Amino acid sequence: MPNRPQSGQGALSTEPKQNKLTVKVEFESIPNRFGIEEFRVLIEEAGLFRGQFTEGIDHLRIDESPYRVGCSFDLRIPFRPKRGDPFEQAHRNRKLEMFCCWFTAGAAFVLSALVAVLYYSLPKKKQFVFRGKHAFVTGGSKGIGKQIALELIRKGCSVSIAARNVSDLESTAKELKTLCDSRGEGQKVQWYSFDVTESYEKTESVIREAEKELGPVGVLINNAGFSTQEAFHDLPLSAFENQMKVNYLSGVYASRAVFSSMKSLGGGHIGFVSSAAGQCAIWGYTAYSPAKFAVRGFAEALHMEMLPFNIGVSVLFPPNTATEGFQVELDTMPEQVKLISDSAGLFEPDYVAKTFVSDIEAGEFATTIGLDGWMLGNLTVGAAPEKNLLRAIQQVLFAGVFRGVMLGYIGYFNRMVRRCHKP
């Protein structure tokens, strides 16, 4: 055991390094030959680090001079700073910084992977060119259908419109022809009066007649439809059949009839007009909503089948729109439906039509209107096709939030229905 310093003066400095302390010690009048064991005893007898558990001494470095011996070494101890110690705060800050760094890196990795997966999974968008094509619009004599026909003419199409009311058809056709003449591009307009629910054969014969006049149909807009609003137990069973025929089967008939023409052209586009009620079913729409849900399901399935033929498919989900038909509905609309419908607002048909045609041109699948429509579209997208990367990211990130908001809406609707109920 080395002799303890007789008249020595010691200087000690420490630098915390997580679980290690680097110690520098100088003693006067100390033998110049000693090792690690001697220094351990020396440190213990000198009372250094008293009360702290030491695990060992590493890297002994000795610096000798004629008058003093200096040394430095690494002392391994489990570093546990006391609360309030500046070392403790620095240690915590370091841990927080490391957590933030790893969290940010992880989030960036997950987001990058998500974007990459979506980018390579989504069908590529293709700009659709309307100019020079023959567009056939069912339910085209008024409302949204009429405005779509006007917008298609502005895009360069010749247009055929179909509906039942002859006077409405003649009036709308005159307006469409005036627009065509003002453009001076040789566009033409034809109109056809028939019941789209009569049979597939009737629909096919009308479309073939239109193709003789204006050429193969390159754009089909399935807009024919109307709504029935009443409590389930008060609706006649025939209402359910009629809603499916007009809102759903009419689109099936027309789509089948134009397929061969579009295939021969090497492409085309089929558009469907569903409804916000085809995304969210409410009181009074037990006949109407299922038919509009069917339109959506048919459009989604058809979209996948038409990909090899370069035939695009899209669907519009309009909210309440200020059309002639909507004004008629208001006269007989039940109180519950009015209260619920008012929450979504009222839109002009020309705005709805322009948005739909623009989305078709941009290669989009689904078109929603307004803030509520956008939220509902993101919430109910499910397994529907999506071609827009930004929209896809929004759907992934906000679906949970929108679900919470929608539950609030549904709860509000349920309370209104209960208040309106009269035993």
Side-chain angles (χ1 to χ4, degrees):
M1 178 180 296
N3 295 325
R4 295 184 61 180
Q6 300 298 318
S7 59
Q9 295 179 350
L12 171 66
S13 64
T14 63
E15 300 174 6
K17 294 184 179 180
Q18 295 184 354
N19 293 331
K20 180 179 72 175
L21 290 180
T22 298
V23 182
K24 297 179 181 179
V25 183
E26 289 185 354
F27 287 97
E28 294 181 355
S29 303
I30 191 170
N32 59 4
R33 292 184 180 277
F34 43 80
I36 292 178
E37 290 300 324
E38 286 79 8
F39 261 95
R40 181 180 290 110
V41 174
L42 180 63
I43 288 170
E44 291 175 354
E45 292 189 1
L48 300 177
F49 307 106
R50 181 170 295 165
Q52 298 195 51
F53 174 75
T54 61
E55 296 179 347
I57 299 174
D58 294 324
H59 306 112
L60 176 64
R61 297 172 290 279
I62 300 175
D63 179 21
E64 299 184 50
S65 69
Y67 303 103
R68 66 178 63 196
V69 176
C71 70
S72 64
F73 53 88
D74 296 334
L75 181 65
R76 299 194 309 274
I77 65 172
F79 187 61
R80 299 288 187 272
K82 297 180 180 179
R83 185 171 297 277
D85 193 306
F87 290 152
E88 178 187 21
Q89 188 62 41
H91 184 61
R92 289 182 176 179
N93 291 343
R94 179 61 177 168
K95 290 178 67 176
L96 180 60
E97 289 174 4
M98 291 297 295
F99 172 78
C100 291
C101 288
W102 280 108
F103 180 82
T104 303
F109 174 78
V110 171
L111 184 59
S112 300
L114 172 64
V115 172
V117 170
L118 292 176
Y119 178 79
Y120 288 105
S121 300
L122 300 183
K124 303 307 178 196
K125 287 203 305 182
K126 294 182 180 179
Q127 292 285 325
F128 185 77
V129 179
F130 287 103
R131 186 171 300 279
K133 291 183 172 60
H134 173 198
F136 193 96
V137 183
T138 66
S141 63
K142 55 187 177 181
I144 295 175
K146 174 184 175 180
Q147 295 301 322
I148 290 175
L150 287 167
E151 192 63 23
L152 289 172
I153 289 175
R154 296 187 185 101
K155 294 293 184 179
C157 291
S158 292
V159 175
S160 295
I161 57 174
R164 289 180 298 178
N165 190 293
V166 173
S167 61
D168 288 340
L169 283 166
E170 289 177 337
S171 175
T172 298
K174 183 178 180 180
E175 186 176 345
L176 296 176
K177 288 177 181 178
T178 300
L179 178 59
C180 287
D181 293 341
S182 68
R183 290 175 54 82
E185 296 183 8
Q187 295 162 268
K188 298 180 180 180
V189 175
Q190 294 290 332
W191 61 268
Y192 301 91
S193 174
F194 79 106
D195 184 352
V196 293
T197 68
E198 183 176 334
S199 67
Y200 168 72
E201 289 74 20
K202 179 62 177 179
T203 299
E204 184 182 33
S205 67
V206 171
I207 288 177
R208 294 292 171 262
E209 183 180 349
E211 289 182 329
K212 290 179 182 178
E213 297 291 334
L214 302 180
V217 173
V219 179
L220 171 66
I221 303 296
N222 292 298
N223 174 68
F226 74 99
S227 70
T228 297
Q229 305 162 103
E230 189 55 79
F232 168 69
H233 54 273
D234 291 330
L235 281 171
L237 292 178
S238 59
F240 294 87
E241 297 173 358
N242 291 335
Q243 287 290 285
M244 291 300 292
K245 287 180 179 179
V246 177
N247 292 306
Y248 171 60
L249 287 177
S250 65
V252 175
Y253 295 162
S255 299
R256 173 65 69 85
V258 302
F259 171 69
S260 59
S261 300
M262 290 186 180
K263 183 180 177 182
S264 65
L265 288 172
H269 194 89
I270 301 174
F272 296 88
V273 177
S274 180
S275 168
Q279 298 171 294
C280 176
I282 61 173
W283 191 100
Y285 282 162
T286 53
Y288 180 63
S289 281
K292 288 301 187 179
F293 269 96
V295 170
R296 172 184 179 163
F298 179 63
E300 291 183 8
L302 190 64
H303 173 273
M304 188 177 292
E305 291 197 20
M306 294 296 104
L307 287 175
F309 305 105
N310 196 33
I311 299 174
V313 177
S314 61
V315 58
L316 167 66
F317 298 100
N320 288 339
T321 307
T323 63
E324 299 89 336
F326 182 70
Q327 295 303 319
V328 173
E329 292 172 13
L330 283 176
D331 295 336
T332 58
M333 185 177 289
E335 182 183 4
Q336 294 92 327
V337 179
K338 284 183 180 179
L339 291 172
I340 295 174
S341 299
D342 287 345
S343 63
L346 186 66
F347 292 83
E348 293 299 321
D350 59 338
Y351 172 74
V352 174
K354 287 180 180 179
T355 304
F356 187 36
V357 172
S358 294
D359 277 359
I360 292 175
E361 190 173 36
E364 304 290 357
F365 172 76
T367 298
T368 57
I369 306 297
L371 179 61
D372 285 354
W374 174 75
M375 182 185 71
L376 194 58
N378 282 281
L379 176 62
T380 63
V381 65
E386 183 55 71
K387 302 177 184 179
N388 189 307
L389 180 60
L390 180 59
R391 287 187 182 182
I393 294 174
Q394 290 173 350
Q395 291 159 10
V396 172
L397 296 181
F398 299 138
V401 175
F402 291 152
R403 173 60 174 164
V405 174
M406 198 61 209
L407 287 174
Y409 269 99
I410 296 298
Y412 174 63
F413 297 159
N414 290 339
R415 289 192 294 274
M416 286 193 293
V417 170
R418 291 191 188 98
R419 285 199 298 267
C420 294
H421 178 65
K422 298 176 182 178

